[in-house]
Amino acid sequence: MKKKSFTFRRRIFVYFVAIAIVPLLILGLYSYHSGAEAVRKSVRQSNETALVQVENRTESALDAVRQNFLQIAGSSDTQKMVDSRHEDIPYLSLRRFIDNICGNPAYIDYVEGYSFLNYKKRWVLSNKGISSMDQVENSGWLDELSGEYQHIFWVNHVGDEAEDKKIRSDYVNDHYLMFVVKLPTYTSHTDAAFVVNLKQSSMERLFQGSLGNGSLTVLDQDGKPVYWENPDVSSYYQAHPEKAGQMEETVIETGNGRYGVVKRKAEVSGWTYIASYSPAELNSQLRSILLTMAGIIVVVLALIFIISGFGSFFMYKPVKNLVTQVQEMVPGQEPENEFDLIQEGISSLVGHREELKAMIERQKSQLTELFAMRLIRGRIKEGEISAIKETFQIEFQPCLCVASVIFCYKNELDREQTSMDALNLEMLNHLPEEIRKILVFPPFIYTRVIVMVVEGNSREKIEEKLLALRNNLSVFVSEICGGYLDMGVSRVFSQESGFRRAYNESLEALKINEFSNRDEDTEGISVEDSSITYYEDLIRHGGAGSEYNLVLDTAIKEAIDACDQEKAFAITDEFLTEVNKSGVVLYEQQYYYYRFLLAILSVPADAGIPIYDLFPEGEENLFLRFNQIYDSRNIRSFYQSKVILPVIGRMNQFRKSSSEAVLEKIMELVKENNGDLTLSECAEKLGYHPSYIWRVMKNTRDITFTNYITEQKLEMAKKLLQETDLSVAEIAERLSYSNAQNFIRLFKKHMDLTPGQYRKQKKG
């Protein structure tokens, strides 16, 4: 035995080492992975930070150019230029127009040149001079600009430079990057256009050397490269323009390697800024992490071998002593190893059949309850069922059925799920013996219902036992707490494999009994509030069913969207009543319940409120709790208190904050456009539906968008009347009124004074 004992000791040693090494390796791999992820995240964050700075600098420059030329395009001097022939323009007016264009700091810093294209009178003014449009060499390109459906846009001709033509007065400069503003900006036809040529050297100074270890690539709104430091990345997006707008993309595969990317989409220009970096650059940092981890693992492995050696010695010592004792108790045995010897000794000690039977008898109640639970869960095979029945001496009668029972308080205030669970547990623990005798197994709680199994030699006997069971339970719960019970009963079955199906049938029957007719009193026992529902009856009468009521589905969404709690509660009551009285039963009814629940949850989801913001415990937990409710009153309470109230409360809070933010954007946009803005234009620029803009104004300021524009224009008109010497007609034109008479009529309607009278009154 000595030799064999060392064999098992070595096994113990190996087990110790394996138990220690496996977690160590897992921990090492996890640590390396975490370190690698930290390095990758650091590199990505540094590139993202640098990219934000590049975007801010560039977009600030582009926006300055954009705002400058939009302001010039909307000026009265520009309109006069549009309506004039170039030979009729006074020199001083032309000089003032040119100075207005070239005097802005944004022009000096970022603009190489400009071209004013007068399509109406067919002439061109640029920083190279003035000429007839018909004499311009690239007049075809000018006609393409005139036909462009956009009125304010960027043109990208990077790489298409024509250096020998840029200085010629008969050639409109169309190289590099251009900003185009067509006049008028609010109609489909084109009278004139500004073409602004950005200065390539200034733009490249904004881009070059801005990302440190990363490479910068800039794409315009159409995905065409504006600037690139890595030709591989630029070529990739030229070959795959559809991927430029995929902001979630973090890795790309090019023909020359794999690159990590960080993207940002600019709001002003619509350009996409991309920082790219090669994962191979991280290898040096990752190599140092790997070497450190390897050194730590080697040291820990040495300690594991030492500790495992001592541990195996001390652990095997009790085994060796036990082998010695077993050899004395079972002499003459010569097994192959000491563990076989121990097993034979134990078998000899517990081989007394009578003692084993006594032990089983003492634990029979708990074991049969466990057996029944395994049957309804469907986790037991037929061969195992037969063995257990033989051990416990159980023999089922030909007919079996499963009943699911819940005890309820009469008081509606006591129908909280926790209170009902406590009541059912209390009732189960004090169930009278005469009730237990009716059942095959001891009753037990499974998924919040009390499961009871009844058997008989015929269907009639099953019916008698079920009626007796219901009557006894009704009297019992009435005496204990004055409550009642609901019972769902499965169809009769004969095979042990049918327990799982029967249990599900009893649950379905239990869920339908809320609006079922209560049974009549039996044998003088009051069962007014208790009910028993048979799954077989549901199948017989539930074939017709009814369609899901889309009207109520739409109504509950509208009520939730309007945050009308009272209306939402009323619709919920109507829905539950209709479903329970419509003949829809079994899984179809549960489907309707879930669909109604999803209709409620779809409203905050459409509003942009995440589900975890409403239910921190998680969506899965919400549906699990809902699935374990077995009567309509608790379903109603769940809809109202657990779903509708939290959703409406969070939507009120969410809309209040979001509406105020949108209102600020509206007011700022109106101010930028001097009140010359329609509801549709405002909605398009802010990216919202016009009806939403109208509702925000009405809810937050109690004013329509049109009236707000009128108020702002009146304020600007009063300011111009007081602070300037502009005529009434000039003020009307500046405020974009179609004629002075309309302006005077509107001013007098709101101020009870004409503009002239108002100016005289204020200037005294």
Side-chain angles (χ1 to χ4, degrees):
M1 290 298 300
K2 185 174 182 181
K3 183 177 180 181
K4 294 178 181 178
S5 68
F6 281 110
T7 300
F8 283 102
R9 180 178 171 183
R10 284 195 297 271
R11 289 187 184 179
I12 294 173
F13 173 79
V14 172
Y15 294 154
F16 272 163
V17 172
I19 291 172
I21 287 179
V22 171
L24 177 64
L25 292 177
I26 293 174
L27 179 61
L29 291 174
Y30 175 76
S31 300
Y32 175 75
H33 176 74
S34 300
E37 284 299 317
V39 171
R40 294 188 184 96
K41 185 176 181 181
S42 175
V43 172
R44 183 176 180 82
Q45 286 179 343
S46 64
N47 277 276
E48 187 170 5
T49 302
L51 194 64
V52 170
Q53 296 174 354
V54 175
E55 179 192 358
N56 290 340
R57 292 199 305 268
T58 307
E59 292 300 309
S60 177
L62 296 178
D63 192 48
V65 173
R66 182 177 184 274
Q67 295 299 331
N68 178 34
F69 279 90
L70 285 176
Q71 183 178 2
I72 295 172
S75 67
S76 58
D77 290 344
T78 302
Q79 185 59 47
K80 291 176 182 178
M81 288 291 176
V82 172
D83 297 331
S84 302
R85 297 186 305 170
H86 68 276
E87 58 267 20
D88 297 337
I89 302 173
Y91 174 77
L92 291 178
S93 299
L94 183 62
R95 182 73 263 170
R96 186 172 62 252
F97 182 66
I98 295 174
D99 291 343
N100 191 26
I101 293 175
C102 302
N104 190 275
Y107 181 92
I108 298 172
D109 293 338
Y110 300 107
V111 177
E112 183 178 60
Y114 71 91
S115 297
F116 178 73
L117 313 177
N118 192 325
Y119 291 102
K120 188 174 182 180
K121 300 298 182 179
R122 303 295 296 176
W123 54 270
V124 177
L125 170 66
S126 70
N127 54 312
K128 297 175 290 187
I130 190 168
S131 62
S132 172
M133 187 176 291
D134 297 329
Q135 297 175 355
V136 173
E137 180 178 334
N138 55 341
S139 59
W141 180 68
L142 304 187
D143 293 336
E144 291 179 11
L145 285 182
S146 174
E148 178 68 37
Y149 75 94
Q150 301 181 79
H151 281 254
I152 302 172
F153 55 94
W154 295 91
V155 177
N156 181 1
H157 284 177
V158 173
D160 299 340
E161 295 123 349
E163 296 293 338
D164 56 331
K165 297 181 179 180
K166 287 196 296 183
I167 61 174
R168 289 166 45 188
S169 61
D170 62 343
Y171 186 86
V172 174
N173 188 1
D174 61 352
H175 89 289
Y176 197 52
L177 297 173
M178 290 160 282
F179 176 62
V180 179
V181 183
K182 295 166 64 175
L183 303 175
T185 60
Y186 51 84
T187 60
S188 59
H189 71 279
T190 302
D191 291 338
F194 277 104
V195 178
V196 184
N197 304 98
L198 295 185
K199 191 182 298 182
Q200 185 171 352
S201 59
S202 298
M203 295 304 297
E204 290 183 349
R205 277 198 300 272
L206 293 174
F207 297 141
Q208 288 173 348
S210 55
L211 296 185
N213 295 329
S215 300
L216 177 65
T217 301
V218 182
L219 308 176
D220 66 9
Q221 67 276 8
D222 298 321
K224 185 177 179 181
V226 173
Y227 175 82
W228 62 90
E229 294 175 346
N230 189 326
D232 288 346
V233 177
S234 175
S235 300
Y236 173 82
Y237 284 106
Q238 288 185 68
H240 306 86
E242 74 282 356
K243 294 185 178 286
Q246 297 178 3
M247 308 308 293
E248 69 279 2
E249 184 181 43
T250 59
V251 177
I252 62 173
E253 295 282 353
T254 69
N256 295 324
R258 189 168 180 262
Y259 295 92
V261 294
V262 180
K263 298 181 182 179
R264 287 187 63 84
K265 180 82 171 182
E267 295 183 2
V268 174
S269 63
W271 292 1
T272 302
Y273 296 79
I274 303 172
S276 58
Y277 55 92
S278 174
E281 298 174 1
L282 309 178
N283 290 340
S284 59
Q285 300 181 49
L286 297 180
R287 192 178 297 109
S288 63
I289 294 175
L290 184 60
L291 291 175
T292 302
M293 291 300 304
I296 295 174
I297 290 175
V298 169
V299 174
V300 174
L301 280 176
L303 294 175
I304 288 173
F305 276 98
I306 295 172
I307 295 172
S308 298
F310 283 103
S312 62
F313 172 78
F314 288 108
M315 175 168 273
Y316 186 74
K317 190 173 182 180
V319 177
K320 185 177 181 180
N321 295 335
L322 181 59
V323 169
T324 303
Q325 294 177 10
V326 172
Q327 282 179 325
E328 295 175 355
M329 295 172 58
V330 189
Q333 297 291 338
E334 295 183 1
E336 294 183 0
N337 56 62
E338 58 266 51
F339 289 104
D340 289 342
L341 177 63
I342 293 172
Q343 184 177 1
E344 292 179 7
I346 293 174
S347 300
S348 177
L349 292 175
V350 298
H352 304 289
R353 188 176 183 83
E354 295 300 325
E355 184 177 352
L356 180 59
K357 286 183 178 180
M359 182 179 65
I360 293 176
E361 190 63 33
R362 289 193 300 268
Q363 299 179 354
K364 184 174 181 180
S365 177
Q366 293 86 344
L367 293 174
T368 52
E369 181 179 324
L370 179 61
F371 176 49
M373 187 175 297
R374 293 181 66 190
L375 284 172
I376 68 160
R377 292 174 65 186
R379 303 289 181 84
I380 186 169
K381 299 179 180 179
E382 292 186 6
E384 191 177 353
I385 293 175
S386 301
I388 295 175
K389 285 170 58 179
E390 183 179 354
T391 302
F392 295 153
Q393 297 181 351
I394 297 174
E395 191 62 42
F396 295 127
Q397 294 189 25
C399 298
L400 295 162
C401 74
V402 176
S404 292
V405 178
I406 55 173
F407 293 102
C408 309
Y409 292 105
K410 282 189 177 180
N411 189 351
E412 289 289 335
L413 299 177
D414 293 327
R415 293 186 63 84
E416 286 292 333
Q417 192 63 56
T418 305
S419 176
M420 292 181 63
D421 289 345
L423 174 63
N424 281 282
L425 182 59
E426 179 70 17
M427 294 294 102
L428 180 63
N429 291 336
H430 296 87
L431 210 60
E433 189 62 30
E434 60 268 19
I435 294 178
R436 295 179 180 272
K437 289 180 179 179
I438 301 174
L439 307 175
V440 180
F441 299 112
F444 56 90
I445 293 179
Y446 187 66
T447 61
R448 289 185 166 174
V449 299
I450 300 176
V451 180
M452 301 180 179
V453 180
V454 179
E455 67 176 356
N457 52 19
S458 65
R459 289 178 175 270
E460 291 75 14
K461 192 63 177 178
I462 289 283
E463 288 289 341
E464 292 177 9
K465 287 189 175 183
L466 287 172
L467 199 56
L469 178 63
R470 193 280 304 267
N471 292 342
N472 287 325
L473 289 174
S474 298
V475 173
F476 170 64
V477 70
S478 178
E479 291 176 350
I480 296 297
C481 64
Y484 66 94
L485 67 94
D486 284 331
M487 178 188 296
V489 180
S490 73
R491 290 178 292 180
V492 175
F493 64 98
S494 58
Q495 299 293 330
E496 290 88 344
S497 58
F499 272 96
R500 177 64 177 171
R501 175 183 55 78
Y503 165 71
N504 288 330
E505 291 178 356
S506 68
L507 283 185
E508 290 301 318
L510 182 63
K511 292 177 182 179
I512 309 303
N513 62 25
E514 178 67 17
F515 287 92
S516 301
N517 294 326
R518 302 297 186 184
D519 292 336
E520 299 296 332
D521 293 356
T522 305
E523 298 180 358
I525 300 174
S526 176
V527 289
E528 179 183 355
D529 294 309
S530 298
S531 72
I532 180 169
T533 307
Y534 293 90
Y535 183 86
E536 194 166 5
D537 292 341
L538 299 178
I539 294 177
R540 187 180 305 117
H541 299 100
S546 65
E547 294 184 355
Y548 181 77
N549 193 332
L550 293 176
V551 175
L552 292 180
D553 193 287
T554 303
I556 191 63
K557 290 181 181 178
E558 293 174 351
I560 297 296
D561 187 58
C563 296
D564 190 338
Q565 173 185 320
E566 183 177 350
K567 184 177 180 181
F569 282 6
I571 294 170
T572 302
D573 291 340
E574 183 180 354
F575 166 75
L576 292 173
T577 302
E578 180 174 309
V579 169
N580 282 281
K581 291 186 176 181
S582 65
V584 175
V585 295
L586 309 180
Y587 291 107
E588 187 176 4
Q589 186 187 67
Q590 195 71 359
Y591 161 74
Y592 285 4
Y593 287 156
Y594 275 116
R595 184 166 176 179
F596 192 73
L597 176 60
L598 291 173
I600 297 173
L601 296 179
S602 68
V603 179
D606 292 342
I609 303 175
I611 191 72
Y612 59 79
D613 198 10
L614 291 165
F615 307 103
E617 69 276 9
E619 184 180 2
E620 292 182 2
N621 190 44
L622 174 72
F623 283 95
L624 179 62
R625 289 163 54 198
F626 184 64
N627 192 48
Q628 293 180 350
I629 301 175
Y630 300 116
D631 63 295
S632 293
R633 279 173 288 188
N634 270 336
I635 291 176
R636 179 188 296 110
S637 175
F638 185 88
Y639 277 136
Q640 294 178 352
S641 62
K642 303 299 183 183
V643 181
I644 294 176
L645 288 179
V647 167
I648 289 179
R650 183 64 184 92
M651 287 188 65
N652 277 325
Q653 179 184 4
F654 177 79
R655 283 178 173 169
K656 183 178 180 181
S657 59
S658 60
S659 296
E660 291 174 353
V662 172
L663 178 62
E664 291 182 3
K665 293 181 180 179
I666 295 171
M667 296 172 66
E668 182 178 352
L669 194 60
V670 171
K671 186 176 180 181
E672 290 177 358
N673 289 270
N674 293 327
D676 185 16
L677 191 70
T678 66
L679 177 60
S680 298
E681 291 172 341
C682 179
E684 181 180 357
K685 291 183 178 182
L686 294 180
Y688 298 108
H689 194 276
S691 63
Y692 178 70
I693 299 294
W694 187 92
R695 189 164 64 249
V696 168
M697 296 293 298
K698 192 66 177 176
N699 292 340
T700 55
R701 294 287 296 270
D702 194 22
I703 189 173
T704 64
F705 183 84
T706 302
N707 290 341
Y708 178 74
I709 292 293
T710 302
E711 286 185 1
Q712 295 304 305
K713 283 190 175 183
L714 286 173
E715 291 299 321
M716 287 186 279
K718 289 191 289 183
K719 186 175 181 181
L720 292 172
L721 288 169
Q722 294 181 61
E723 300 178 359
T724 70
D725 294 327
L726 294 173
S727 66
V728 173
E730 289 174 328
I731 293 175
E733 180 182 0
R734 179 169 293 190
L735 296 178
S736 301
Y737 285 97
S738 57
N739 56 67
Q741 291 302 319
N742 289 342
F743 168 65
I744 295 171
R745 189 181 303 110
L746 181 67
F747 192 92
K748 185 174 182 180
K749 176 182 177 181
H750 288 84
M751 302 299 298
D752 293 331
L753 294 170
T754 65
Q757 293 170 340
Y758 179 83
R759 173 176 276 171
K760 290 179 181 179
Q761 184 185 81
K762 291 298 179 181
K763 292 191 174 182

